[in-house]
Amino acid sequence: MAQSKRSSSGTQTSNGSTNGSARRRESVTERIEKRLEEVAESAARDPEEQKQSGLLALAVCVGGIYASFLSWAYLQERITTTTYGPNNARFTYSIFLNTIQSAFAACTGAAYLFTSSPRDPKTGARKVPPVFPSKQILFPLLLIAVTSSLASPFGYASLKHIDYVTFILAKSCKLLPVMFLHITLFQKKYPFYKYLVVLTVTLGVAMFTLYNPSTAKKAAKKGVSADASKALGLFLLSINLLFDGLTNTVQDQIFSSFKGFTGPQMMCAQNIISTLLTTAYLLSAPYIAASPVGAAVGLTPTSGNELADALSFVTTYPTVGWDVLSFAACGAIGQVFIFHTLAHFSSLLLVTVTVTRKMLTMLMSVVLFGHTVTGMQWAGVGLVFGGIGAEAWYQRVEKKAKMEAKKREAKKSE
C-alpha cells in the first residue's frame, strides 16, 4: 500500500569521482527507502489535529483494517481451497480473480480520490487532482501494474504445494525481497541489525516449512515427494515476493520523483492499468493459445480460455461468484482504511496494526480451516514476528533520535 519517506537533504560532495558516484547511489537508495515515512508525514495531521481525531476515529481506522483484511484473507483461503461438485473441482483462475479485484480497487480508489480532495473555498467544488498527472509517470505506473499482475499467479500457484498458513507467514517477510533488490541493484549497505532481522525471519520461515505436516499430504496427492513439493512451493512464492519487492521499489521511486502524487492517486492509477492489462490478457489468451506463441509460453487450447472457464465455474457454483465479489470488495475497502489511517495517524500505528493483523490471520486460518501447527512451527512463527517486531522497534528508536536531532539543530539556529 503506497507510502513515501522524507529523502535525505542531499549527498555530500566527495573529492574523488568514485566516492561521489557511490554517495549518489546511496542517496538515491535512501530516498527510496524513506517513502513510507514521507507519505505519512506529508499527509498526517499535526499532533493537535491527531488528538482531535479522537479514540473513535482511531477505533474506526484500526477496526476497518482488521475487519477488511481478515475477511479478505478468510475469503482468499476459502476460494482457493474449497472443492465443489462430485469431481471436487477448485477455483484456480487467478488472473480472473486478480482482474475483479483490481477493477473494484480502481473504482473504490476513484471514489476515495474524489471524496478526499479539498474543496475550493469560493465555489465549494472539489479540486480533484488528475489520476495521471503527466506523461512521464505512465511508464513507472505501467511497470508496477505489470509486476503486481504477475505476482498474484505465482502466489496462487504456490498454494498448490504449501498451505495457507505458510503462505501468510512468508508474505509477512516483505523486508527480504526489498533488501535483496536494494543490495543487488543499488549496492545499498544496511545496518547490522537488519541483517540479523533477515536471518531471524528466514530461519523462522524455514522452520515452519520444514516441520509442516500438511505439505506431505499435498505432495502425496500429486505423486511427488514432500521435499520436492515444499521446494517448488517456496520457489513459486519467492517469485511472488520478488515481484512484490519490485512493485514496492518502483512505487518508492514514483513517490520520490513525482512530488504531490498521493496514495489515492496511486491506488486508482495502478489498478486502472492492472485491470486493462489483465482484461486484455483474458480476451486475447484463446487466440494466443491457438498460435505458435501459445506453445512457447505454456498455453494450450484447454488452458488458454481462462475467462470462459472462470465464468462457467462461477455460473455452475454461484457461491464462488459471491465469494469473489466479496473478496474484491474487502481488499479495496481495506486499502482505503490504510490510506485514511496514514492521513490521520502515524505510520508506526499502521505498521503495528499490519503486523498484528497478519498474526491474527494465521490464528484465524488455523482455527477456521483446521490446520495442524506443531510446536517447532510455533517457534518459527515466534522468530518471524519477533524479527519483524524488533525491526519496527529499531525504526521507532531511529526516527525518535532523528526528530530530537532536528529539534536540537533548530534551537541552535535560533
Side-chain angles (χ1 to χ4, degrees):
M1 310 218 133
Q3 311 164 29
S4 158
K5 289 187 180 179
R6 195 171 301 279
S7 61
S8 302
S9 58
T11 307
Q12 297 180 351
T13 306
S14 59
N15 295 328
S17 59
T18 302
N19 291 335
S21 61
R23 294 286 182 85
R24 282 193 294 273
R25 284 196 305 270
E26 186 173 347
S27 177
V28 170
T29 307
E30 288 175 355
R31 287 200 302 272
I32 291 172
E33 286 196 317
K34 304 282 185 196
R35 172 180 64 88
L36 294 173
E37 185 175 345
E38 188 171 334
V39 163
E41 290 180 355
S42 64
R45 299 177 177 182
D46 59 41
E48 290 300 319
E49 287 180 300
Q50 289 186 23
K51 290 179 182 178
Q52 293 174 8
S53 294
L55 293 176
L56 179 60
L58 175 63
V60 169
C61 288
V62 174
I65 292 174
Y66 280 147
S68 299
F69 283 106
L70 287 175
S71 301
W72 180 87
Y74 169 76
L75 289 166
Q76 184 183 45
E77 184 166 8
R78 188 163 80 172
I79 290 169
T80 55
T81 60
T82 303
T83 57
Y84 299 89
N87 296 325
N88 294 326
R90 289 191 178 188
F91 187 89
T92 57
Y93 311 104
S94 58
I95 297 182
F96 175 83
L97 183 63
N98 202 35
T99 303
I100 301 297
Q101 180 175 245
S102 61
F104 262 76
C107 295
T108 308
Y112 181 52
L113 178 61
F114 177 80
T115 56
S116 63
S117 299
R119 292 184 180 274
D120 188 292
K122 295 182 180 179
T123 63
R126 293 190 184 275
K127 297 188 290 185
V128 182
V131 176
F132 303 100
S134 66
K135 292 181 180 179
Q136 290 75 20
I137 203 173
L138 290 177
F139 178 75
L141 284 174
L142 175 63
L143 186 57
I144 60 173
V146 170
T147 54
S148 62
S149 298
L150 289 174
S152 294
F154 284 100
Y156 287 118
S158 70
L159 287 171
K160 297 177 182 178
H161 305 277
I162 57 176
D163 63 20
Y164 192 76
V165 180
T166 307
F167 178 82
I168 287 295
L169 185 65
K171 291 284 282 184
S172 303
C173 313
K174 295 289 187 182
L175 182 64
L176 273 68
V178 172
M179 280 186 65
F180 173 76
L181 289 170
H182 286 179
I183 290 171
T184 56
L185 297 180
F186 300 103
Q187 299 179 357
K188 169 69 178 176
K189 292 183 179 179
Y190 284 90
F192 180 68
Y193 80 86
K194 287 206 172 188
Y195 293 101
L196 288 179
V197 168
V198 168
L199 180 62
T200 302
V201 169
T202 304
L203 180 61
V205 174
M207 285 177 60
F208 191 92
T209 306
L210 290 173
Y211 288 93
N212 192 344
S214 66
T215 306
K217 297 178 183 178
K218 291 196 173 190
K221 291 180 181 179
K222 294 181 174 295
V224 296
S225 68
D227 290 340
S229 187
K230 287 178 185 177
L232 181 56
L234 290 177
F235 173 73
L236 293 169
L237 188 54
S238 66
I239 296 176
N240 170 270
L241 290 173
L242 183 61
F243 278 127
D244 279 347
L246 284 169
T247 301
N248 293 336
T249 301
V250 179
Q251 283 177 335
D252 294 342
Q253 291 176 318
I254 290 174
F255 281 117
S256 61
S257 302
F258 299 92
K259 300 301 180 183
F261 193 70
T262 64
Q265 285 174 289
M266 171 70 80
M267 178 180 175
C268 189
Q270 177 183 343
N271 285 292
I272 286 175
I273 298 176
S274 295
T275 303
L276 293 175
L277 287 175
T278 52
T279 301
Y281 168 79
L282 290 173
L283 294 174
S284 61
Y287 303 99
I288 297 174
S291 69
V293 178
V297 296
L299 286 177
T300 64
T302 55
S303 66
N305 204 0
E306 180 169 333
L307 179 59
D309 292 343
L311 292 175
S312 175
F313 194 98
V314 170
T315 304
T316 306
Y317 309 106
T319 305
V320 183
W322 289 112
D323 283 349
V324 168
L325 293 177
S326 301
F327 168 79
C330 288
I333 294 170
Q335 289 183 50
V336 172
F337 275 114
I338 283 178
F339 287 122
H340 192 72
T341 302
L342 278 175
H344 293 269
F345 300 97
S346 69
S347 58
L348 179 61
L349 171 68
L350 183 61
V351 171
T352 304
V353 171
T354 300
V355 172
T356 54
R357 189 264 299 174
K358 289 176 179 176
M359 293 178 67
L360 288 174
T361 299
M362 289 187 60
L363 293 174
M364 180 183 70
S365 179
V366 170
V367 173
L368 296 183
F369 290 91
H371 296 294
T372 302
V373 182
T374 65
M376 290 299 293
Q377 284 186 292
W378 283 120
V381 171
L383 286 174
V384 170
F385 287 105
I388 295 172
E391 189 211 2
W393 181 81
Y394 270 107
Q395 286 181 340
R396 181 179 182 179
V397 171
E398 288 178 345
K399 183 177 179 180
K400 187 176 180 180
K402 289 178 182 178
M403 292 178 66
E404 291 178 351
K406 287 180 181 179
K407 289 180 181 179
R408 288 194 296 268
E409 289 178 2
K411 288 181 179 180
K412 289 181 181 178
S413 61
E414 292 178 353

